[in-house]
Amino acid sequence: MTEAWTSEKIRQTFLDYFEARDHTVVPSASLVPQDDPTLLFTNAGMNQFKDVFLGTGTRPYTRATDTQKVMRVAGKHNDLEDVGRDGTHHTLFEMLGNWSFGDYYKKEAIAWAWDLLTRVYGLASDRLWATFFKDDEGDLGIDEEAVHHWRATTIDPRHILPFGRKDNFWEMGDTGPCGPSSEIFYDRGPAACDRQTIADHVCRVNGDCERFTEVWNLVFIQYNRHASGDLEPLPAQHIDTGLGFERLVALLQDQTSNYRTDLFWPIIERVQVLVGQTDAQREASLVPYRVIADHIRAVTFLIGDGVLPANDGRGYVLRMILRRAVRFGRTLGFTQPFMSELADIVVQKMGQVFPELPARIDFIKATILGEEKRFLRTLDQGLGRLEEIIDEVKTEGATEIPGDQAFFLHDTLGLPFEVTRDIVLEHGLTIDEAGYQAEREAQRARGRAAGAFELEADVHAQLYPQLQAWIQSQTPKWELAYDPYGALEVGTRVVALLCDDQIATIAQEGDTLELVLADTCFYVESGGQVSDTGRITGPDWEMTVTEMRRPIEGLIIHVGHVIRGTPRVGDAVTAQVDEVRRRDIMRNHTATHLLHRALREVLGSHVQQAGSVVAPDRLRFDFNHNAPMTAAQRARIEQIVTEVVLADELVTSRQESYREALSQGVIALFEEKYGETVRVLRVGEPAHPLSEELCGGTHVARTSEIGAFLILDEEGIGAGVRRIEAATGRGALDAVQTLRERQEQTAALLSTPLEELPQRAARLLEELKTAQREIDQLTRKLARADFQSLLNDVIEIDEVPVLTAQVDVPDADTLREMADWFRDKMQGGVIVLGTVVDGKPLLIAATTNQMVERHNLHAGNLIRQLAEIVGGGGGGRPDMAQAGGRNAAKLPTALGAVPDLVREMLSTKH
């Protein structure tokens, strides 16, 4: 390895080279594209500038450079089968790039690329080749301009080659910006050819061997393609280049493979140490080493950008490549998790350039470890079944694995299709991929028919229907019962287990578990009421229940943690709801019905519930009303609810047909969906009910159980919608005690009796107002004094007085006042003042109408140019303008630019 060119030095040299040529160095965009649903991942350096090329966005600069992390594992860029099998293919890589947005064009792009590669990086010029566009499908002709500029370099003219639309015409899509390109290749010599044994093979640029390596692609964006296919010249011409960082590092470090550079080799060496192999063993098994080194980089970056393992979309890609690496690790001898340790090496190597990695290292490693453990639990079963399928196919004399079998391995045993394909190829077989995709789509259709839907990040979208089918296939047949309205404890049996998103028959202490019971008394979140918690106790084990789910109709899931013992399917258990918590929830839920009634009585019959949350500590109730409640209305509502509580009214429920309930005036919520039979909750005697609403929640038996009722807050949350938060029982007591404690602390701080607190607060406010007036007067005096000293810094440009200064003042008003002092003092001239307020830069420019008319010194035009420097915007009158920005560090630069801008304005005066 060449020590002179480390990967860090190579990357920084590129950025420094273009920064020295007035390019703004911009950070890498996330691998998850922002506001671009057409992309699964960021797959090119230009993605973050797509709006500029489309003409829908702008940047405060016209030249840019960066290193962009890129992911290519889908669509036409899906080279996953080649990753690890050669020395150049990767799932994730860096793309160095430089851009011009309507600024420089082909001349500079070509000259700088050649200069950087040959003079700076020192690549041999006689080994470099360049291609240009020659239309082979239409009438665009030859890119003579590119040829001319290439010939202006020291490249061998014989190394400038034409290619057609397939190789040298870049398009963003079917429509939009596009244009010819020029690619730079490096000749690695005849020894690099991997097809020497093939008769009549000829090594050539854009050929099919590894001798010529594409290093850099220069794209000249000069057309806009319409839906008709016609090309129209763009009003501005752009440059978009992409240099493959890993390939450049391999060339400069004199390596035939990217994996032997300092970007990958430390990972490979660590894998070798962990698995305990010799150098000879490593060289004999390079493919697994390469796959692991590539995939751990991709996994680390994906999780760092917020992608989590899932069954679809980006999450599936992450899960798939992680599991693919684990499977290759198994071929080396790994039987325990090892990938998370490798993430440390990735972060150590890349963290300086991509700071999101060290900031999230603990989360990255925990996510990798959890997913790796989950896969290892089913890997042996999946590999064993695949070996059986392969043997069956070979015995039958066939060469293709059926698609339904591949889908079974993926869907039931968690073996990604790509992993299955790797193993099948190793046996010289293929997979019926069309059959696999058909099975996958059929399952999605079944899920949609059952009312289920898939979310990209929902790992359970396919799991729960599968679990329900598994339960229905068991003997004996289970009739699952759900009754949260009776006893808070029930004896029952375990019907099914899910552990780490896998169907299981046994779990271990410490596992996070999803469990199905034959009968349950636990309430599942619905209608705003949160789920119950509690515990399930078996013969020799215990599980805490922290959450309840009903993922599909007819399936109730208890989610929790095994705190001791070994749960098994079929165990007899006792399911016990946390009674104290449940009763707190019941109090709050019944109170929401009383609150609804009171609101309608006090505010009007137009009040309708617009949403609610019923939790153990408080209730939240949203309702339609277009004005804040007055203190008197709030007090009256609390009084009405409290009177019903003290009256110890009966609370009952009944089953009734939906139509009959509505005909009797029962309140139904418009956002809820009701079946033919509904549950009606009544407060009060049947003959004279105080409240009747459709409700599936749990409630107290009598209103006196609610205890105290207290409104904690009332606010608007949208047009015509208000929100009340309230508490009952123990929650209300906690709120009152907290309020009293705060009042007593405040009174103690102010050294005043509690009953005199309001008067003392009023006096303090008046004192603060007086102090603020005095501060304002002092600030003005200090500003005046500062201004007098600043007059010594006035310069003259073409006999026009000009003053620029950064001052320490609290607001724009003071800046404007100082500008007025200057204009009064100088009877003209230009003043630009800047300050930093709350971490943000603020600028004021001022002149006089006379200066605008005579000298073209327009304050608004001047401030707009300064605003770009501080990353903001602004404007105003010709004689006074103001701007703000985001980058306070650039404020001195902006102020320093004022003299040159004034000279430029004066040079264009009438």
Side-chain angles (χ1 to χ4, degrees):
M1 184 178 295
T2 304
E3 293 296 329
W5 283 114
T6 64
S7 58
E8 290 85 356
K9 181 180 177 181
I10 294 169
R11 183 193 295 111
Q12 194 59 50
T13 297
F14 182 92
L15 299 176
D16 291 346
Y17 182 90
F18 284 101
E19 186 176 31
R21 286 152 182 80
D22 300 321
H23 288 65
T24 297
V25 179
V26 298
S28 172
S30 169
L31 285 173
V32 179
Q34 302 298 309
D35 301 321
D36 191 347
T38 66
L39 291 177
L40 189 65
F41 295 111
T42 297
N43 62 9
M46 55 72 57
N47 287 163
Q48 67 169 306
F49 304 115
K50 185 175 180 179
D51 60 327
V52 179
F53 295 138
L54 289 171
T56 60
T58 60
R59 298 291 187 276
Y61 44 79
T62 58
R63 301 180 179 187
T65 186
D66 77 348
T67 180
Q68 173 64 53
K69 50 190 173 183
V70 170
M71 192 84 179
R72 292 186 179 177
V73 289
K76 66 180 181 179
H77 298 303
N78 189 358
D79 295 324
L80 185 66
E81 292 181 58
D82 296 322
V83 172
R85 303 189 190 280
D86 62 23
T88 59
H89 283 89
H90 303 291
T91 52
L92 175 136
F93 57 97
E94 288 183 63
M95 185 73 78
L96 302 175
N98 59 288
W99 288 269
S100 166
F101 309 124
D103 192 344
Y104 64 84
Y105 202 43
K106 296 178 185 179
K107 176 182 178 181
E108 293 86 350
I110 291 172
W112 287 339
W114 183 256
D115 180 58
L116 180 57
L117 291 177
T118 58
R119 181 183 63 81
V120 180
Y121 286 135
L123 291 178
S125 60
D126 60 347
R127 288 198 168 197
L128 290 171
W129 294 65
T131 66
F132 63 92
F133 175 69
K134 179 180 179 181
D135 198 4
D136 56 349
E137 298 179 18
D139 56 359
L140 295 180
I142 299 175
D143 190 353
E144 295 283 2
E145 184 181 359
V147 175
H148 171 74
H149 293 307
W150 272 118
R151 288 176 175 167
T153 70
T154 58
I155 192 173
D156 186 338
R158 295 170 298 177
H159 289 191
I160 307 173
L161 305 176
F163 286 89
R165 296 199 181 201
K166 176 179 177 294
D167 296 302
N168 278 72
F169 194 89
W170 178 90
E171 298 183 79
M172 182 181 294
D174 294 334
T175 61
C178 55
S181 67
S182 181
E183 296 177 332
I184 305 172
F185 289 78
Y186 185 82
D187 181 3
R188 297 165 61 193
C193 177
D194 57 339
R195 300 175 68 85
Q196 297 179 30
T197 59
I198 299 176
D200 300 323
H201 169 73
V202 177
C203 298
R204 60 184 180 85
V205 171
N206 276 326
D208 55 357
C209 74
E210 294 186 3
R211 174 174 172 175
F212 291 90
T213 299
E214 179 190 342
V215 179
W216 205 341
N217 187 18
L218 315 178
V219 178
F220 313 127
I221 304 176
Q222 62 188 74
Y223 299 108
N224 182 44
R225 184 179 293 282
H226 296 285
S228 63
D230 294 334
L231 294 174
E232 177 187 21
L234 289 168
Q237 297 170 326
H238 312 290
I239 290 294
D240 165 23
T241 85
L243 189 160
F245 179 58
E246 286 77 6
R247 296 182 180 185
L248 178 63
V249 173
L251 293 178
L252 294 179
Q253 293 183 0
D254 196 23
Q255 297 295 334
T256 57
S257 165
N258 296 351
Y259 290 98
R260 293 187 182 273
T261 68
D262 65 355
L263 291 169
F264 295 91
W265 200 246
I267 304 173
I268 290 175
E269 289 181 320
R270 184 57 183 162
V271 173
Q272 182 182 351
V273 170
L274 291 175
V275 79
Q277 289 190 343
T278 65
D279 289 354
Q281 289 174 317
R282 180 198 67 211
E283 293 302 310
S285 303
L286 267 182
V287 170
Y289 278 93
R290 288 168 170 174
V291 170
I292 292 168
D294 173 273
H295 286 12
I296 187 57
R297 287 182 10 128
V299 166
T300 301
F301 274 85
L302 284 172
I303 299 173
D305 278 350
V307 180
L308 295 177
N311 280 349
D312 286 281
R314 299 182 182 103
Y316 174 78
V317 173
L318 169 60
R319 169 167 286 168
M320 177 269 293
I321 59 177
L322 177 54
R323 293 188 173 191
R324 186 172 187 257
V326 172
R327 204 284 300 187
F328 273 102
R330 178 61 62 89
T331 69
L332 293 177
F334 285 108
T335 58
Q336 298 297 320
F338 67 97
M339 290 285 285
S340 64
E341 183 173 338
L342 301 179
D344 284 324
I345 302 176
V346 178
V347 174
Q348 290 165 11
K349 185 68 178 175
M350 313 296 283
Q352 290 291 330
V353 184
F354 303 99
E356 65 273 15
L357 297 181
R360 300 166 186 167
I361 181 60
D362 291 338
F363 177 74
I364 291 169
K365 293 180 66 176
T367 302
I368 293 173
L369 181 61
E371 179 65 17
E372 195 172 6
K373 284 181 175 179
R374 185 177 296 116
F375 184 49
L376 286 173
R377 288 180 176 174
T378 60
L379 179 57
D380 287 333
Q381 186 179 3
L383 294 178
R385 179 60 187 134
L386 177 54
E387 291 295 333
E388 293 175 2
I389 295 171
I390 290 173
D391 288 343
E392 292 168 3
V393 170
K394 288 182 176 180
T395 300
E396 295 169 359
T399 60
E400 186 176 76
I401 302 297
D404 60 344
Q405 296 280 18
F407 182 75
F408 168 79
L409 292 169
H410 161 74
D411 186 55
T412 304
L413 301 182
L415 205 63
F417 173 82
E418 292 80 1
V419 173
T420 300
R421 181 177 58 195
D422 284 333
I423 299 171
V424 167
L425 288 174
E426 292 166 6
H427 284 267
L429 304 176
T430 60
I431 299 179
D432 175 16
E433 186 166 352
Y436 167 84
Q437 295 295 347
E439 287 290 325
R440 187 177 176 92
E441 184 54 37
Q443 187 194 62
R444 289 174 173 168
R446 289 193 294 271
R448 288 191 292 269
F453 60 94
E454 290 187 40
L455 294 175
E456 263 193 8
D458 185 2
V459 301
H460 303 106
Q462 300 175 24
L463 179 60
Y464 288 128
Q466 179 185 339
L467 176 64
Q468 190 175 54
W470 185 89
I471 293 172
Q472 293 169 352
S473 70
Q474 299 302 298
T475 302
K477 298 292 185 183
W478 294 103
E479 292 293 335
L480 306 184
Y482 171 61
D483 182 14
Y485 307 115
L488 299 182
E489 181 178 316
V490 64
T492 181
R493 285 190 178 273
V494 177
V495 171
L497 300 177
L498 284 177
C499 189
D500 289 332
D501 299 334
Q502 305 289 337
I503 298 174
T505 57
I506 188 171
Q508 304 295 327
E509 183 176 317
D511 281 349
T512 296
L513 196 62
E514 298 182 50
L515 181 145
V516 180
L517 298 177
D519 305 274
T520 186
C521 53
F522 282 73
Y523 184 84
V524 181
E525 181 173 346
S526 178
Q529 179 177 328
V530 299
S531 293
D532 282 330
T533 62
R535 64 185 59 242
I536 299 172
T537 307
D540 59 352
W541 58 271
E542 187 174 356
M543 167 186 171
T544 60
V545 179
T546 57
E547 182 185 356
M548 296 293 298
R549 297 177 186 159
R550 193 197 324 250
I552 57 177
E553 191 60 38
L555 189 64
I556 304 297
I557 301 290
H558 305 70
V559 183
H561 306 282
V562 181
I563 58 176
R564 65 177 179 88
T566 305
R568 294 176 174 83
V569 171
D571 280 352
V573 298
T574 299
Q576 185 178 26
V577 172
D578 182 337
E579 182 173 356
V580 173
R581 183 176 180 276
R582 163 72 86 83
R583 294 200 180 280
D584 287 340
I585 294 171
M586 291 162 63
R587 292 185 185 98
N588 282 334
H589 202 161
T590 305
T592 62
H593 289 243
L594 303 185
L595 173 61
H596 195 183
R597 169 182 178 267
L599 286 167
R600 290 169 64 86
E601 181 177 331
V602 173
L603 302 180
S605 59
H606 66 279
V607 170
Q608 293 288 336
Q609 179 177 336
S612 69
V613 173
V614 181
D617 58 333
R618 63 179 58 199
L619 65 93
R620 192 181 76 199
F621 191 85
D622 300 339
F623 60 98
N624 301 104
H625 190 58
N626 57 9
M629 288 167 50
T630 65
Q633 288 171 333
R634 177 170 167 163
R636 177 58 182 152
I637 288 168
E638 287 179 329
Q639 180 183 10
I640 292 172
V641 173
T642 301
E643 287 174 352
V644 177
V645 170
L646 295 176
D648 192 30
E649 296 286 353
L650 185 67
V651 181
T652 58
S653 65
R654 68 181 187 275
Q655 298 291 324
E656 198 166 278
S657 76
Y658 179 62
R659 293 183 180 276
E660 183 177 352
L662 292 185
S663 67
Q664 295 175 4
V666 175
I667 294 177
L669 306 180
F670 69 88
E671 74 275 12
E672 292 286 344
K673 295 181 178 179
Y674 300 101
E676 184 60 32
T677 301
V678 294
R679 184 169 181 262
V680 180
L681 194 285
R682 176 195 293 139
V683 178
E685 297 300 325
H688 304 286
L690 298 173
S691 170
E692 282 192 314
E693 296 187 31
L694 300 186
C695 182
T698 61
H699 293 267
V700 299
R702 303 195 70 91
T703 58
S704 58
E705 298 175 37
I706 294 173
F709 172 81
L710 180 68
I711 294 177
L712 305 176
D713 187 39
E714 190 267 343
E715 62 178 348
I717 60 170
V721 180
R722 310 291 300 175
R723 170 172 293 171
I724 281 179
E725 288 200 0
T728 66
R730 296 189 307 152
L733 177 61
D734 288 344
V736 170
Q737 290 176 334
T738 299
L739 179 61
R740 183 176 62 191
E741 181 181 351
R742 289 174 180 170
Q743 289 177 328
E744 290 172 347
Q745 290 173 344
T746 304
L749 286 172
L750 298 179
S751 301
T752 189
L754 189 61
E755 60 272 14
E756 296 180 9
L757 192 58
Q759 296 90 332
R760 176 61 175 150
R763 289 197 300 272
L764 279 176
L765 284 175
E766 187 56 41
E767 291 171 8
L768 283 173
K769 290 179 182 178
T770 301
Q772 187 59 53
R773 285 193 293 269
E774 293 175 354
I775 290 172
D776 291 342
Q777 292 173 359
L778 286 172
T779 299
R780 190 171 183 276
K781 289 180 180 179
L782 288 171
R784 188 78 185 194
D786 287 344
F787 169 73
Q788 293 298 329
S789 64
L790 289 176
L791 292 178
N792 296 324
D793 298 328
V794 174
I795 63 174
E796 285 197 358
I797 299 176
D798 290 348
E799 300 182 353
V800 173
V802 177
L803 174 61
T804 64
Q806 181 170 340
V807 295
D808 185 14
V809 297
D811 51 40
D813 289 341
T814 308
L815 284 182
R816 279 191 289 270
E817 191 169 18
M818 294 178 77
D820 287 338
W821 295 338
F822 174 83
R823 292 192 294 188
D824 291 343
K825 179 74 174 179
M826 307 303 296
Q827 298 297 313
V830 177
I831 181 170
V832 179
L833 298 176
T835 189
V836 178
V837 178
D838 296 330
K840 300 293 180 63
L842 182 65
L843 286 158
I844 291 288
T847 180
T848 64
N849 290 328
Q850 185 181 31
M851 300 299 291
V852 175
E853 295 170 359
R854 290 185 178 180
H855 301 288
N856 197 35
L857 292 173
H858 191 293
N861 294 340
L862 177 60
I863 206 72
R864 276 190 288 272
Q865 297 181 75
L866 299 178
E868 291 184 5
I869 298 175
V870 296
R877 305 188 311 270
D879 63 330
M880 176 78 79
Q882 175 179 330
R886 297 182 299 274
N887 192 345
K890 291 290 187 179
L891 185 57
T893 303
L895 293 169
V898 170
D900 287 342
L901 292 174
V902 170
R903 289 189 186 94
E904 183 178 344
M905 287 180 166
L906 290 172
S907 68
T908 58
K909 62 186 177 181
H910 305 311

